[in-house]
Structure formats: C-alpha cells, structure tokens
Amino acid sequence: MPNTQYSSFRNDVQPNQSMKNGNYQPNTETSPVLRGQWRTYNYSNCSAECKGGFKKRMVRCMSKNDQVLEDRYCPHPKPATQINCANFRCPTWTFGQWSKCNNECKRSRQVLCQDHRGNESNQCAKEMKPPDEESCCNFKWRITCSGTCDAEGRRKPNLICKKIFPKSIDNPHPFRTGKRVEEKYCTNAKKPSPIKQKKKCSKPCPTRWETSPWSKCSVGCGSGRTVRNVTCTDGRTILPKACNMTTKPPNTKVCEEFSGCRWKIMKFGKCNCKGRQSRTVKCFDEMLNTESNRCSENERPPKTIACQKPSGCRTPSRNRHHQSAYRNCKDAQRKHRIDGEYTMNLNGTKTKIYCHKMATRSPVEYLSLPAGATENYAIYIKRRAADANRCQMSPRDWEDESISYGATHYQKIRINISTLQVYTNDFEFTTSSGTKQSFGSAGDCYSNTGHCPQGDFAINLEGTPFRIRPRTTWETAGVNSVIKFLVPLKTPYKKVRALCGGYCGSCSVSRNTNLYLQLA
C-alpha cells in the first residue's frame, strides 16, 4: 500500500487544480487550523413585566485562548441571542357581585387587583380602580291621603319617607315600588309645601261625617258631659249608613265646669255660752241645684261664727283647766316651747296638730297619722325581670343596685296650716331604707310591657279629721310607665293605694293638683 499523508482542511476550503494534478508538494511546516467554540452569556432582564416582551444575550465565537473569532470559525449553529418572555396578562382589577341595598341607600362589592395566577397584586393603576361602593337609591318625602274622610269631607294629607329605587326596565314605576322607612332617613330631603299637600288630597270624599258645635257642659260645678250631633252626609242628604262607622267622631266627651260652684249656709245652730254659733256649710251646683264636692276650699265660709251669748251662762272658774285652741304652732309658741300635739282652730274646727322645733324661731306643723307607717309608705323597687319583654316573675329576676330604689314609711306628714297643702318631700318623721321616696310616689324598672308595675305607695288618713282633696290626681313618668290603683281615691277620700312602674317608670302626685287636705 502506498504511504498516504492527510492534511486537514477547514471544512470550507477546497483543494486547487494543482493539487488535483498531483503536482502539489506539501509544505513541511505545520500550519495551525482555527476552530472555535460558542460562548453564551446571561440573558438581560425582560423588556416588559407582562403582556409579552423579550430578553437578549451575547453569543461569541471564542478560541481556546479566549480570543474572539469570527462566527465562521465556530462549526456548530449559533445559539439564540433573543427569546420571548412575560407572555401573560398584566394584573387587572377584578370585582364581585354588588351587595343588597342597605338602609342608607348604599351597596358595596369587593374590588381586588389580581395577577394572572389569581394572587393579589399592587401593580394595578389606582386611577383605574372600579368603585367598591355606590348609591343604589334615594330618600324622598311622599304625600299620601288617608283613606277616611274628615269632618270637612277631605282626606287628610300625610307625609311619609320612602326609599326610592332607580327607574329601570325591571322597575318602571319607582314611586310605586318605593318602600316606606323611618322619617329620620328623610331629614335632608325637601318637604312638599302645605299648599301642595292640601292640593294632593283636594278631591272631596263622596260622603263625610259632619259635626255640630259641642253643647254646654251638663253640670255647673265639677265633671259632666257635653254632646254634639254627628251625621253622615254627602253635602246634600243625610245618609246614616254610608260612612265608615270606625271613623265616626265622638258625639260625647267629659267636661269640667266650675262657674256654678257656690258655698251655701244651710242651717244655723244655737249660740253657745262660748259665744260661738255653728252652721252647716255645703257646696252646691247652682245649675243643677244639687250638692257637689268641687267648690274651692279657699272660698269656704267658716263653720262657726261669733254670736251673742245667751242669758244664764255661767262664767267659768279662772282656776278651771282650759285648753286653748291656736291658729298655728307659732301662736302656740307664745305659751309652749316643747314639741307635741296642740289643738288648732282650722276654719272653726278644732283638731290636733303636732308642733315641731318649738324651741326655735320657726316651728313647723305636722299631722300625725294614726293608721301608722304600715299604711303610709312610698316604695321604689330595685328588682328587674329576667325577660323585660314579658310580664312574668322568674327565679332569674335580679336586683339592680344602680337605680335609686328605696322604701320610706311615714309616721307624720308636714302640712301648710293655712292652705292644708302636704309637703311630700319632708322626711322628718319617717323611717327609710335606700333612697328616700316622696309621699304618694312609687316606681320600678321591672318590665318594658307596661302591664306589671311593682312599685307601691299608700296613703291612709283614717283617725284624722282630714280627707284627701277629691280632685287630686297622679301623673306617670318614664318609659312605658303605668299606674294601677288598688284602692282608688273615692268617697270618703281617706285612703288611696296604687302600684306604679315602667322601664324605668314612676308615679307621683300631679304637679297640676299637688296634694291638699280638706276637713272631712
């Protein structure tokens, strides 16, 4: 076999013609053949954060000696210098369903910025954020006309506050579908004028109730009744059965009249040896010519008057014991300086009055109560119901120490000797536990029902020459307060007892009448 030498050629260089003819003489000196390798560098950051971008890198053909060669010296295909990146959507605002419209005419929804994976992001444009709350209705005053007719044959206009929803295909008549709500929601809404209200309900009713003026009170002194005619008419004819009977105005009511009250002296007794003559004084209703009990005590004539002593009267011995009758405790103080019971002359009637602080410059008058403290008391209960919305005692009822509870029992009551008014807030001759309670008052915080008062008061003047003035009344105060009389104030007006209470509630003698006594 012939000896053959091989030469390396670059794969891109072909032998010339002289070589092919066999005339080529190879060079005995060795010539290096250049051969490189591709070297890649790190990609740059993506040109976009989302919605498609690209990354670039440097790719070079390098020799073994780290010399940069032309690309043609690297035998393999050149690696990519650029690739795509961030081929996903940008974070966007997403939102949920609207909530129901609330009482303030607002509805809300959840609004989030989320990336393509559904994770919460902060890359959304804040100025592009959809609203998470909006108004869904508004409040307006609406005029409604009552279905019943008044005495003038007109329906009465009423203003109500309505929640009005926007007009839409599903809601073509917003005012018809609006819902009535509390008036506080229309505080800032403009009210229709009175003229507009009247005009809205100006259509006359086909029939109406007509009333005549009230008659004169049936009594001249005290409480009576007054009446009027109430007829159903269409303006021309009386139609007794055409009107709604449930809306018929009352044809009678209670009235009070005092113009006919007169005190009359009915009968004189004989003049006694003391130079006093008794007489019977009664209150009369001049209109009815009957007795009454509503005359003013301040105008009552005295039951006795001075008179000429009859002949034959003996002069009492100077040494004989004689108990004086005084006008008041200040008068009795001229002879006495000790607290105790003294005889007083009240409009010609002698009665015992207790004088207190007789050793001071200002003695005061008290009425002793023979019925005792067990019949004259005022109690404010501290117990509360376990369920305030039910009128039912329970073992779970509890005691509230935060309220002004207490019980006060009276042995004597202070009075104004001239007017016979009782000072209900005088506690000189009382025994108390807790907060002192006014005479003739009671209360509790037991129940919110207005049906089961627990507070208790009682007044008992038996054994005294006095009675409670008949027209005395009581008033209530507080939440769902109520008064329930166990012993009503009636003839002979000596006693009264009642239960009072609420949540919290109380009762006391009315400020219009106050508590006055009268000689029985």
Side-chain angles (χ1 to χ4, degrees):
M1 177 180 290
N3 187 16
T4 306
Q5 292 184 341
Y6 295 93
S7 298
S8 294
F9 297 95
R10 281 187 13 222
N11 55 5
D12 58 342
V13 177
Q14 299 297 324
N16 57 27
Q17 188 64 33
S18 63
M19 294 177 183
K20 291 180 180 181
N21 296 333
N23 297 325
Y24 172 72
Q25 296 296 321
N27 188 356
T28 59
E29 293 183 1
T30 303
S31 170
V33 177
L34 294 178
R35 184 182 295 272
Q37 290 182 338
W38 294 109
R39 183 180 295 176
T40 60
Y41 295 85
N42 292 336
Y43 279 107
S44 66
N45 292 331
C46 192
S47 63
E49 293 184 355
C50 57
K51 209 174 182 179
F54 58 87
K55 295 192 292 185
K56 289 185 176 182
R57 67 178 177 181
M58 185 182 296
V59 179
R60 288 178 175 175
C61 184
M62 303 293 292
S63 70
K64 292 181 179 180
N65 298 327
D66 284 339
Q67 292 181 337
V68 178
L69 303 177
E70 292 181 11
D71 288 357
R72 60 195 176 94
Y73 290 107
C74 285
H76 300 292
K78 186 175 182 178
T81 60
Q82 177 176 312
I83 60 173
N84 294 331
C85 58
N87 291 318
F88 49 81
R89 67 171 178 80
C90 294
T92 57
W93 291 107
T94 61
F95 46 83
Q97 295 291 327
W98 286 109
S99 65
K100 290 184 178 180
C101 210
N102 64 20
N103 289 338
E104 283 73 34
C105 271
K106 299 288 184 182
R107 64 178 182 177
S108 60
R109 63 181 177 181
Q110 188 179 43
V111 178
L112 296 175
C113 177
Q114 292 181 317
D115 61 20
H116 63 288
R117 295 184 182 90
N119 298 323
E120 198 166 346
S121 171
N122 60 359
Q123 300 300 312
C124 298
K126 292 185 178 180
E127 63 273 11
M128 300 297 291
K129 181 180 180 180
D132 58 1
E133 184 180 90
E134 69 175 7
S135 296
C136 46
C137 60
N138 53 42
F139 298 104
K140 287 188 177 182
W141 290 105
R142 298 297 295 163
I143 304 170
T144 62
C145 302
S146 62
T148 58
C149 299
D150 59 19
E152 297 178 354
R154 305 285 176 182
R155 289 182 173 86
K156 183 180 178 181
N158 294 316
L159 282 180
I160 62 172
C161 182
K162 271 197 168 186
K163 180 193 287 188
I164 309 297
F165 297 94
K167 187 175 182 179
S168 63
I169 296 176
D170 297 328
N171 186 30
H173 305 290
F175 289 108
R176 293 183 189 175
T177 58
K179 295 182 179 180
R180 184 173 181 174
V181 295
E182 296 179 46
E183 292 186 358
K184 65 180 181 181
Y185 294 110
C186 285
T187 303
N188 299 323
K190 184 179 179 181
K191 285 189 175 183
S193 65
I195 296 176
K196 187 174 182 180
Q197 294 180 43
K198 189 173 182 180
K199 185 178 180 181
K200 176 79 174 179
C201 304
S202 60
K203 186 177 179 180
C205 300
T207 58
R208 58 187 179 273
W209 292 108
E210 285 191 353
T211 58
S212 67
W214 289 105
S215 68
K216 187 178 179 181
C217 195
S218 61
V219 300
C221 182
S223 298
R225 300 199 73 82
T226 179
V227 297
R228 65 179 176 180
N229 292 325
V230 179
T231 55
C232 177
T233 178
D234 60 0
R236 298 182 301 275
T237 309
I238 294 177
L239 305 168
K241 297 182 179 181
C243 296
N244 185 352
M245 294 302 294
T246 62
T247 63
K248 183 179 180 180
N251 61 356
T252 180
K253 68 177 181 178
V254 175
C255 58
E256 286 198 335
E257 182 63 53
F258 301 100
S259 61
C261 295
R262 294 291 184 272
W263 288 106
K264 289 187 178 181
I265 300 170
M266 304 299 296
K267 183 180 179 182
F268 284 90
K270 293 181 179 181
C271 188
N272 59 27
C273 291
K274 295 180 181 180
R276 302 298 297 178
Q277 184 180 26
S278 62
R279 58 185 182 178
T280 303
V281 180
K282 291 186 177 182
C283 174
F284 265 79
D285 182 335
E286 284 193 329
M287 176 179 163
L288 302 178
N289 196 27
T290 58
E291 285 190 45
S292 175
N293 59 7
R294 302 299 295 276
C295 295
S296 172
E297 287 293 325
N298 295 334
E299 299 175 359
R300 183 173 187 162
K303 290 184 177 181
T304 63
I305 59 174
C307 61
Q308 184 67 39
K309 292 181 182 180
S311 58
C313 290
R314 292 183 298 175
T315 302
S317 172
R318 291 186 178 181
N319 296 328
R320 187 178 176 184
H321 175 73
H322 176 70
Q323 187 177 19
S324 301
Y326 305 101
R327 298 188 305 275
N328 49 44
C329 290
K330 189 72 174 176
D331 186 31
Q333 198 180 39
R334 293 181 301 159
K335 295 183 179 182
H336 307 278
R337 306 287 290 182
I338 301 174
D339 290 5
E341 298 279 352
Y342 292 93
T343 302
M344 302 289 168
N345 189 342
L346 304 181
N347 291 331
T349 300
K350 292 182 180 180
T351 185
K352 293 286 186 179
I353 296 295
Y354 186 90
C355 292
H356 183 51
K357 296 184 179 180
M358 289 292 280
T360 69
R361 292 185 178 182
S362 303
V364 290
E365 294 86 3
Y366 285 84
L367 176 65
S368 298
L369 301 171
T374 58
E375 294 287 324
N376 292 276
Y377 55 81
I379 301 175
Y380 198 112
I381 298 293
K382 65 179 176 180
R383 188 171 65 254
R384 285 184 181 267
D387 184 353
N389 294 316
R390 298 180 63 186
C391 189
Q392 182 177 355
M393 289 190 178
S394 165
R396 296 185 295 110
D397 290 354
W398 56 287
E399 292 184 348
D400 187 353
E401 299 288 342
S402 67
I403 60 180
S404 299
Y405 71 93
T408 303
H409 292 77
Y410 290 78
Q411 291 86 32
K412 305 179 194 299
I413 53 174
R414 184 181 172 186
I415 63 173
N416 183 315
I417 201 68
S418 300
T419 63
L420 297 184
Q421 181 179 357
V422 177
Y423 295 92
T424 56
N425 289 323
D426 187 281
F427 308 106
E428 187 67 32
F429 294 96
T430 65
T431 56
S432 294
S433 60
T435 303
K436 290 180 171 62
Q437 305 297 320
S438 300
F439 193 58
S441 72
D444 68 27
C445 299
Y446 186 75
S447 170
N448 197 27
T449 62
H451 295 301
C452 47
Q454 304 290 308
D456 190 358
F457 81 83
I459 300 174
N460 189 341
L461 301 183
E462 289 182 340
T464 75
F466 298 97
R467 68 176 186 175
I468 303 168
R469 188 163 68 178
R471 67 168 178 263
T472 303
T473 58
W474 273 258
E475 61 186 12
T476 59
V479 178
N480 286 340
S481 55
V482 64
I483 181 169
K484 180 180 179 182
F485 283 97
L486 302 180
V487 179
L489 184 61
K490 62 181 181 179
T491 307
Y493 304 105
K494 287 278 190 176
K495 299 167 64 175
V496 63
R497 183 187 173 195
L499 300 179
C500 304
Y503 198 70
C504 296
S506 62
C507 69
S508 58
V509 178
S510 171
R511 289 165 290 184
N512 294 327
T513 64
N514 293 316
L515 183 57
Y516 284 88
L517 306 182
Q518 292 178 344
L519 287 165

